[in-house]
Amino acid sequence: MENEILRQILDELKGLKIAQLSTNQRLDSLDQRLDRVEQRLDGTDLRLDKMEQRLDGMGLRFDKMEQRLDGMDLRLDKMEQRLDGMGLRFDKMEQRFDTMENDIKEIKSDVRTIKEQIIDLEAKNANNHLEIKTQLDNLSKEISILQVVSGKNMADIAMLKAVK
């Protein structure tokens, strides 16, 4: 920026008609211009000082942001560790579920076998019941026959006793 100001001064100096002005006028003119340049430089210094202060403030803010990001990195690392732990736990749970599924399949197979055995037993029991019923019916008939024969025998015994 200072180079620009110096160029402006040089441009202005070239544009002057140095030959026509007297030495005092030229000096006065140069003095005024130098005053203006000095004022501009003072303004530039003030602006640079303000910019430097703002940059310092931004540096502090960036430092704070960096600290916060470091804290966030630590938290993310902890979260990753926890997620890894959870992953291991889920793997163990999955293994347990696989074992349970196999056990359930085995139990279902056993239940099917038991059902088949029960069906077979029910059929055999039905046959046994029929046989027992038939035997009971036969026994009942035989008992009836025995009762009739016993009744006859008693009648014969009674007749024999009466004959004597």
Side-chain angles (χ1 to χ4, degrees):
M1 190 165 203
E2 291 178 7
N3 287 339
E4 212 175 288
I5 294 171
L6 290 175
R7 278 191 201 138
Q8 287 177 354
I9 292 172
L10 286 175
D11 288 341
E12 287 179 29
L13 287 174
K14 287 179 184 176
L16 289 176
K17 295 181 180 179
I18 297 175
Q20 296 176 355
L21 295 175
S22 69
T23 309
N24 283 340
Q25 288 175 333
R26 278 193 242 164
L27 287 175
D28 287 342
S29 174
L30 283 175
D31 195 31
Q32 289 174 356
R33 285 184 181 167
L34 284 175
D35 286 344
R36 278 186 278 179
V37 167
E38 190 176 349
Q39 288 174 355
R40 282 185 180 171
L41 287 175
D42 288 343
T44 302
D45 280 343
L46 288 173
R47 287 174 60 194
L48 285 175
D49 288 342
K50 287 180 184 177
M51 286 176 67
E52 189 175 344
Q53 288 174 352
R54 288 180 72 188
L55 286 174
D56 289 343
M58 287 174 64
L60 291 174
R61 288 174 63 192
F62 280 128
D63 289 343
K64 288 179 183 177
M65 285 175 62
E66 190 174 346
Q67 288 173 350
R68 288 180 68 193
L69 287 174
D70 288 343
M72 290 172 74
D73 280 343
L74 289 174
R75 289 176 64 193
L76 284 174
D77 289 343
K78 287 179 183 177
M79 288 174 70
E80 282 179 359
Q81 289 173 354
R82 288 179 68 191
L83 285 174
D84 289 344
M86 288 173 64
L88 291 173
R89 289 177 64 194
F90 283 129
D91 290 343
K92 288 179 183 177
M93 288 175 65
E94 188 173 350
Q95 290 173 352
R96 288 176 64 192
F97 283 129
D98 289 344
T99 303
M100 288 172 62
E101 281 180 347
N102 290 334
D103 291 347
I104 289 171
K105 286 178 185 176
E106 204 172 299
I107 290 170
K108 283 182 177 180
S109 173
D110 291 347
V111 167
R112 270 190 224 106
T113 303
I114 291 170
K115 282 182 180 179
E116 290 170 1
Q117 289 174 351
I118 288 173
I119 290 171
D120 289 343
L121 285 175
E122 284 177 350
K124 288 178 184 178
N125 273 345
N127 288 336
N128 286 340
H129 287 306
L130 287 176
E131 284 179 29
I132 290 171
K133 186 172 187 232
T134 304
Q135 289 175 359
L136 284 175
D137 287 344
N138 290 339
L139 282 175
S140 178
K141 286 179 189 176
E142 287 177 10
I143 289 174
S144 294
I145 291 171
L146 279 175
Q147 284 176 342
V148 169
V149 170
S150 288
K152 263 183 165 185
N153 283 343
M154 296 260 267
D156 288 343
I157 291 174
M159 264 197 332
L160 286 175
K161 281 186 183 179
V163 173
K164 274 195 186 182

